[in-house]
Amino acid sequence: MAAVQKDFKKSVVYQIYIKSFCDSNGDGIGDLPGITSKLDYLARLGVDYLWITPFFPSPQRDNGYDVSDYCAIDPVYGTMKDFDTLVAAAHERGIGIMLDMVLCHTSTEHEWFQRACAGDERYRRFYILRDGRGSMRADDPGEPLTNWQCAFGGSAWEWEPRLGKWYLHMHDPSQPDLDWTNPEVRAACADVVRFWRDRGVDGFRFDVVSLLSKPEVIEDVPGDGSACRGLVADGPHVHEYLQELVREAGIEGMVTVGEMASSTLEHCIRYSRPESNELSMTFNFHHLKVDYAGGNKWALTEPDIASLRDIFRTWQERMQEGGGWNALFWDNHDQPRAITRFGGRELVGERGGSWEHVGKMLAIMSFSMQGTPYIFQGDELGMTNAGYASIADFDDVESKNNYRILLEGGATEEEALHVVNERSRDNGRTPMQWTAGEHAGFTTGTPWLAVPDNHVRVNAQGEEGVPGSMLEFYRALVRLRHELPVLAEGRVRFLDAGVAAPQVIAFERTLGDVRTVTVCSFDDAPCCVRDLELAGMQCMVGNYDEAPAPAEDGSLELRPFEAAIFLR
């Protein structure tokens, strides 16, 4: 059983994108010893678990999510001894380690796929292989079996001459999907999880786990094929596969979280309710699509706060009623920075502007909803989108593909670059900003991805111990989450802030006689909230230096992007 075993409902998880966290040897890429060197920083922050993104051997077509060996460590990140040292040092500080398991697909360089291509019938059955439409003979590919589009653009089917078949890849062509209908695949994946459990790992995050079970009938979807993820998600056997994985890997009772690509609320309840014995909690991404024009990630529009409020209300209240549990987050390695998305563009790294107020407002909201809060590296510093000057500065395959698609669709280079700067996953992958010095103190070499210029104002060294800084604000919220049971255990109910506050999201948490009300304004102008029953309540934490005070009638005047938690 895990060495660190905490109540996940009362815990805070910190996500580390290893490639960009801390480089210990000057090669420009973060590594395991780099994480170990920063454990005291993380312990002072107060987090309970560290989720570390994949560090397994990989050709890096998708930044490590294309795994070529599940039970080894890529030399660029260190050695197994380095991993053991990290686990032991984290445990000494009461911090658990969570690993990222990519079990939906492998790399084309994985031994399983290579053996399939070499003609091994056993391993051919590890993957989803099909004949093409219109194929007349074995060496004739024909056309892809369906119109499905992969997540990064282009067909979800790739012809492999050595196989004489098309293989399915819901992501990059270098990431063939595993066939989970094969019991040998399921057993091999359980072996992988058990290997790391026995190595001292305390929990797991499962990548795109809702896509494990494919539909029994593989057919076209309406339109251009991009809707296929909704067809593939929450497949007919996904719950039994997860139950089997938990049982066979022996990870009952350990903290687990699943990334839910295109999943429904009803399925997320099933994934995370205790009686299902599947996952502790789920990530869903619906709240991070409210600035997609027409549902298209690469078409920009202002965030729709009314939709954001409805999404949070629905997921919070219905997950609660169904016994499920949310993972609470704004950022991760696949998202642009929320502080930029929701208006924090002014006075970056300084007090008193939208950068500070939006950053702290988002933190207040995340830490006071029902679920387990996740901090993505740099959130606690207020790290922003990169603002790169050229497409050549980007590394992400999805960003480059969509830059090309935008140009082919008639956008100018300037327009396409603007869209990519707003949407690229690289915004969440820029090196951690430790200092104001060269390369933000991330490396003594040349970083694999350029450091944003604002690191001279936004960095850990400049914020640590400074009253009112973003970092100290996050530390206070972590303590509050640990110390105030109502935030971890209380019931949640969303409130109507009134017609004069259309950009405000408000909700209460209650536990016995204790009540908190969280008020978060996404408005860049002042507004007034009413009917929240705030009379007699005290502001416990807010994102302005001067605490807001409800009027005698309970109404509350809010400044731009103001947020606060009230307690009675």
Side-chain angles (χ1 to χ4, degrees), residues 44-226:
R44 290 194 298 273
L45 183 57
V47 297
D48 301 284
Y49 290 94
L50 306 181
W51 154 27
I52 307 173
T53 56
F55 47 73
F56 316 113
S58 166
Q60 296 291 322
R61 285 293 301 273
D62 188 24
N63 278 283
Y65 283 86
D66 47 329
V67 178
S68 58
D69 186 344
Y70 288 114
C71 295
I73 292 173
D74 195 312
V76 75
Y77 298 127
T79 66
M80 194 64 77
K81 182 179 179 180
D82 292 329
F83 177 77
D84 292 340
T85 298
L86 168 61
V87 170
H91 288 173
E92 288 174 2
R93 293 162 175 80
I95 299 174
I97 298 294
M98 298 172 61
L99 293 196
D100 211 326
M101 295 286 100
V102 190
L103 303 180
C104 182
H105 49 253
T106 69
S107 165
T108 51
E109 295 187 13
H110 195 287
E111 179 188 11
W112 298 345
F113 192 78
Q114 290 300 308
R115 291 180 69 169
C117 289
D120 189 322
E121 285 298 325
R122 177 191 177 195
Y123 288 99
R124 287 171 66 92
R125 292 191 294 272
F126 270 47
Y127 297 92
I128 300 170
L129 311 181
R130 296 290 188 273
D131 293 322
R133 283 195 284 203
S135 175
M136 303 300 292
R137 58 186 185 277
D139 62 345
D140 175 17
E143 298 295 328
L145 180 65
T146 68
N147 66 344
W148 293 4
Q149 297 287 298
C150 74
F152 301 152
S155 175
W157 297 95
E158 185 79 3
W159 172 256
E160 173 49 69
R162 293 173 294 171
L163 295 168
K165 301 283 186 181
W166 295 81
Y167 65 83
L168 179 67
H169 60 90
M170 295 303 297
H171 295 82
D172 188 74
S174 68
Q175 296 167 296
D177 280 38
L178 288 164
D179 186 355
W180 273 66
T181 64
N182 182 347
E184 284 196 75
V185 168
R186 302 199 300 272
C189 289
D191 287 344
V192 168
V193 176
R194 193 182 311 108
F195 171 88
W196 291 107
R197 181 207 65 181
D198 293 347
R199 203 92 202 179
V201 169
D202 306 285
F204 296 94
R205 180 261 192 188
F206 294 105
D207 187 62
V208 290
V209 72
S210 58
L211 305 183
L212 293 184
S213 177
K214 305 304 189 286
E216 293 174 351
V217 177
I218 295 179
E219 58 188 1
D220 283 345
V221 294
D224 64 0
S226 59

Side-chain angles (χ1 to χ4, degrees), residues 286-287 290 303-313 505:
H286 301 280
H287 64 295
V290 296
D304 183 340
I305 304 305
S307 292
L308 185 68
R309 183 191 305 110
D310 289 343
I311 289 167
F312 277 133
R313 176 190 289 118
I505 298 178

Side-chain angles (χ1 to χ4, degrees), residues 519 527-530 534 548-551 553-558 564 566:
V519 182
C527 64
C528 180
V529 299
R530 301 183 183 279
L534 296 175
D553 64 359
S555 64
L556 182 69
E557 298 288 338
L558 293 175
F566 295 89

Side-chain angles (χ1 to χ4, degrees), residues 269-327:
I269 291 172
R270 287 186 63 187
Y271 289 124
S272 61
R273 63 188 181 190
E275 57 266 35
S276 294
N277 201 30
E278 297 176 28
L279 300 168
S280 305
M281 67 194 92
T282 60
F283 286 113
N284 81 82
F285 299 90
H286 301 280
H287 64 295
L288 293 178
K289 299 177 182 179
V290 296
D291 54 357
Y292 291 9
N296 179 3
K297 173 179 177 177
W298 303 94
L300 306 182
T301 189
E302 289 299 310
D304 183 340
I305 304 305
S307 292
L308 185 68
R309 183 191 305 110
D310 289 343
I311 289 167
F312 277 133
R313 176 190 289 118
T314 299
W315 280 79
Q316 285 276 297
E317 295 182 352
R318 289 184 59 189
M319 285 284 276
Q320 172 180 258
E321 295 307 316
W325 196 255
N326 291 290

